[in-house]
mmCIF file of all heavy atoms in Angstrom:
data_model
loop_
_atom_site.group_PDB
_atom_site.id
_atom_site.type_symbol
_atom_site.label_atom_id
_atom_site.label_comp_id
_atom_site.label_asym_id
_atom_site.label_seq_id
_atom_site.Cartn_x
_atom_site.Cartn_y
_atom_site.Cartn_z
ATOM 1 N N THR A 364 20.989 7.016 -8.980
ATOM 2 C CA THR A 364 22.286 6.497 -9.417
ATOM 3 C C THR A 364 22.531 6.967 -10.836
ATOM 4 O O THR A 364 21.646 7.538 -11.482
ATOM 5 C CB THR A 364 22.344 4.958 -9.337
ATOM 6 O OG1 THR A 364 23.664 4.517 -9.611
ATOM 7 C CG2 THR A 364 21.378 4.315 -10.319
ATOM 8 N N GLY A 365 23.742 6.736 -11.353
ATOM 9 C CA GLY A 365 24.056 7.147 -12.714
ATOM 10 C C GLY A 365 24.022 8.643 -12.908
ATOM 11 O O GLY A 365 23.699 9.141 -13.983
ATOM 12 N N ARG A 366 24.370 9.408 -11.884
ATOM 13 C CA ARG A 366 24.301 10.862 -11.950
ATOM 14 C C ARG A 366 25.635 11.436 -12.421
ATOM 15 O O ARG A 366 26.696 10.846 -12.242
ATOM 16 C CB ARG A 366 23.918 11.440 -10.595
ATOM 17 C CG ARG A 366 22.536 10.954 -10.124
ATOM 18 C CD ARG A 366 22.248 11.342 -8.695
ATOM 19 N NE ARG A 366 21.956 12.768 -8.553
ATOM 20 C CZ ARG A 366 20.753 13.295 -8.714
ATOM 21 N NH1 ARG A 366 19.740 12.528 -9.050
ATOM 22 N NH2 ARG A 366 20.547 14.587 -8.542
ATOM 23 N N ALA A 367 25.547 12.622 -13.034
ATOM 24 C CA ALA A 367 26.735 13.358 -13.485
ATOM 25 C C ALA A 367 27.621 12.496 -14.379
ATOM 26 O O ALA A 367 28.844 12.512 -14.288
ATOM 27 C CB ALA A 367 27.522 13.868 -12.289
ATOM 28 N N GLY A 368 26.992 11.687 -15.246
ATOM 29 C CA GLY A 368 27.756 10.894 -16.192
ATOM 30 C C GLY A 368 28.279 9.584 -15.656
ATOM 31 O O GLY A 368 28.863 8.791 -16.405
ATOM 32 N N ARG A 369 28.091 9.332 -14.355
ATOM 33 C CA ARG A 369 28.566 8.058 -13.798
ATOM 34 C C ARG A 369 27.616 6.939 -14.208
ATOM 35 O O ARG A 369 26.444 7.157 -14.469
ATOM 36 C CB ARG A 369 28.633 8.157 -12.263
ATOM 37 C CG ARG A 369 29.583 9.226 -11.756
ATOM 38 C CD ARG A 369 29.707 9.164 -10.234
ATOM 39 N NE ARG A 369 28.462 9.454 -9.549
ATOM 40 C CZ ARG A 369 28.078 10.674 -9.167
ATOM 41 N NH1 ARG A 369 28.864 11.710 -9.423
ATOM 42 N NH2 ARG A 369 26.953 10.859 -8.541
ATOM 43 N N SER A 370 28.135 5.728 -14.240
ATOM 44 C CA SER A 370 27.286 4.580 -14.552
ATOM 45 C C SER A 370 26.551 4.128 -13.300
ATOM 46 O O SER A 370 27.007 4.362 -12.175
ATOM 47 C CB SER A 370 28.126 3.425 -15.110
ATOM 48 O OG SER A 370 29.054 2.988 -14.132
ATOM 49 N N GLY A 371 25.411 3.493 -13.496
ATOM 50 C CA GLY A 371 24.618 3.027 -12.370
ATOM 51 C C GLY A 371 23.823 1.793 -12.739
ATOM 52 O O GLY A 371 23.643 1.472 -13.918
ATOM 53 N N GLU A 372 23.352 1.101 -11.722
ATOM 54 C CA GLU A 372 22.568 -0.112 -11.904
ATOM 55 C C GLU A 372 21.211 0.051 -11.227
ATOM 56 O O GLU A 372 21.147 0.473 -10.068
ATOM 57 C CB GLU A 372 23.290 -1.325 -11.299
ATOM 58 C CG GLU A 372 24.664 -1.609 -11.882
ATOM 59 C CD GLU A 372 24.583 -2.275 -13.244
ATOM 60 O OE1 GLU A 372 23.498 -2.805 -13.570
ATOM 61 O OE2 GLU A 372 25.595 -2.262 -13.969
ATOM 62 N N ALA A 373 20.145 -0.274 -11.960
ATOM 63 C CA ALA A 373 18.793 -0.250 -11.402
ATOM 64 C C ALA A 373 18.180 -1.630 -11.574
ATOM 65 O O ALA A 373 18.133 -2.160 -12.686
ATOM 66 C CB ALA A 373 17.931 0.800 -12.097
ATOM 67 N N VAL A 374 17.749 -2.220 -10.458
ATOM 68 C CA VAL A 374 17.167 -3.566 -10.477
ATOM 69 C C VAL A 374 15.738 -3.476 -9.953
ATOM 70 O O VAL A 374 15.489 -2.899 -8.892
ATOM 71 C CB VAL A 374 17.993 -4.547 -9.627
ATOM 72 C CG1 VAL A 374 17.346 -5.931 -9.641
ATOM 73 C CG2 VAL A 374 19.435 -4.625 -10.141
ATOM 74 N N LEU A 375 14.819 -4.055 -10.696
ATOM 75 C CA LEU A 375 13.398 -3.984 -10.380
ATOM 76 C C LEU A 375 12.888 -5.377 -10.057
ATOM 77 O O LEU A 375 13.041 -6.308 -10.852
ATOM 78 C CB LEU A 375 12.639 -3.411 -11.580
ATOM 79 C CG LEU A 375 11.128 -3.269 -11.506
ATOM 80 C CD1 LEU A 375 10.741 -2.214 -10.481
ATOM 81 C CD2 LEU A 375 10.570 -2.900 -12.872
ATOM 82 N N PHE A 376 12.287 -5.559 -8.876
ATOM 83 C CA PHE A 376 11.656 -6.827 -8.517
ATOM 84 C C PHE A 376 10.203 -6.802 -8.988
ATOM 85 O O PHE A 376 9.461 -5.874 -8.660
ATOM 86 C CB PHE A 376 11.703 -7.059 -7.014
ATOM 87 C CG PHE A 376 13.093 -7.309 -6.483
ATOM 88 C CD1 PHE A 376 13.355 -7.215 -5.122
ATOM 89 C CD2 PHE A 376 14.138 -7.637 -7.317
ATOM 90 C CE1 PHE A 376 14.621 -7.442 -4.618
ATOM 91 C CE2 PHE A 376 15.405 -7.869 -6.835
ATOM 92 C CZ PHE A 376 15.648 -7.773 -5.488
ATOM 93 N N VAL A 377 9.812 -7.827 -9.734
ATOM 94 C CA VAL A 377 8.463 -7.894 -10.299
ATOM 95 C C VAL A 377 7.819 -9.198 -9.863
ATOM 96 O O VAL A 377 8.357 -10.277 -10.132
ATOM 97 C CB VAL A 377 8.495 -7.823 -11.841
ATOM 98 C CG1 VAL A 377 7.080 -7.801 -12.401
ATOM 99 C CG2 VAL A 377 9.273 -6.605 -12.306
ATOM 100 N N THR A 378 6.690 -9.117 -9.183
ATOM 101 C CA THR A 378 5.943 -10.329 -8.870
ATOM 102 C C THR A 378 5.143 -10.733 -10.102
ATOM 103 O O THR A 378 4.914 -9.911 -10.997
ATOM 104 C CB THR A 378 4.993 -10.118 -7.676
ATOM 105 O OG1 THR A 378 3.974 -9.180 -8.056
ATOM 106 C CG2 THR A 378 5.747 -9.589 -6.462
ATOM 107 N N PRO A 379 4.710 -11.989 -10.192
ATOM 108 C CA PRO A 379 3.993 -12.425 -11.399
ATOM 109 C C PRO A 379 2.793 -11.566 -11.753
ATOM 110 O O PRO A 379 2.479 -11.410 -12.933
ATOM 111 C CB PRO A 379 3.573 -13.867 -11.039
ATOM 112 C CG PRO A 379 4.626 -14.330 -10.090
ATOM 113 C CD PRO A 379 4.976 -13.123 -9.268
ATOM 114 N N ARG A 380 2.137 -10.987 -10.759
ATOM 115 C CA ARG A 380 0.929 -10.201 -11.042
ATOM 116 C C ARG A 380 1.229 -8.731 -11.314
ATOM 117 O O ARG A 380 0.314 -7.938 -11.503
ATOM 118 C CB ARG A 380 -0.050 -10.327 -9.864
ATOM 119 C CG ARG A 380 -0.566 -11.733 -9.665
ATOM 120 C CD ARG A 380 -1.542 -11.818 -8.522
ATOM 121 N NE ARG A 380 -2.764 -11.091 -8.804
ATOM 122 C CZ ARG A 380 -3.777 -10.978 -7.958
ATOM 123 N NH1 ARG A 380 -3.696 -11.553 -6.775
ATOM 124 N NH2 ARG A 380 -4.853 -10.311 -8.262
ATOM 125 N N GLU A 381 2.513 -8.361 -11.342
ATOM 126 C CA GLU A 381 2.869 -6.955 -11.557
ATOM 127 C C GLU A 381 3.474 -6.718 -12.937
ATOM 128 O O GLU A 381 4.039 -5.660 -13.187
ATOM 129 C CB GLU A 381 3.862 -6.501 -10.488
ATOM 130 C CG GLU A 381 3.268 -6.430 -9.102
ATOM 131 C CD GLU A 381 4.289 -6.127 -8.030
ATOM 132 O OE1 GLU A 381 5.481 -6.458 -8.230
ATOM 133 O OE2 GLU A 381 3.913 -5.566 -6.993
ATOM 134 N N LYS A 382 3.333 -7.677 -13.840
ATOM 135 C CA LYS A 382 3.960 -7.520 -15.152
ATOM 136 C C LYS A 382 3.371 -6.367 -15.941
ATOM 137 O O LYS A 382 4.046 -5.761 -16.768
ATOM 138 C CB LYS A 382 3.852 -8.825 -15.937
ATOM 139 C CG LYS A 382 4.734 -9.933 -15.383
ATOM 140 C CD LYS A 382 4.666 -11.167 -16.252
ATOM 141 C CE LYS A 382 5.586 -12.246 -15.709
ATOM 142 N NZ LYS A 382 5.519 -13.475 -16.515
ATOM 143 N N ARG A 383 2.123 -6.048 -15.695
ATOM 144 C CA ARG A 383 1.519 -4.922 -16.398
ATOM 145 C C ARG A 383 2.239 -3.626 -16.047
ATOM 146 O O ARG A 383 2.463 -2.760 -16.894
ATOM 147 C CB ARG A 383 0.040 -4.797 -16.042
ATOM 148 C CG ARG A 383 -0.604 -3.534 -16.609
ATOM 149 C CD ARG A 383 -2.005 -3.338 -16.069
ATOM 150 N NE ARG A 383 -2.528 -2.054 -16.487
ATOM 151 C CZ ARG A 383 -2.345 -0.936 -15.817
ATOM 152 N NH1 ARG A 383 -1.654 -0.932 -14.693
ATOM 153 N NH2 ARG A 383 -2.858 0.201 -16.255
#
Side-chain angles (χ1 to χ4, degrees):
T364 187
R366 299 171 73 86
R369 299 186 296 270
S370 63
E372 301 283 343
V374 179
L375 179 67
F376 291 164
V377 184
T378 66
R380 296 181 67 182
E381 292 174 333
K382 290 184 178 179
R383 173 188 173 272

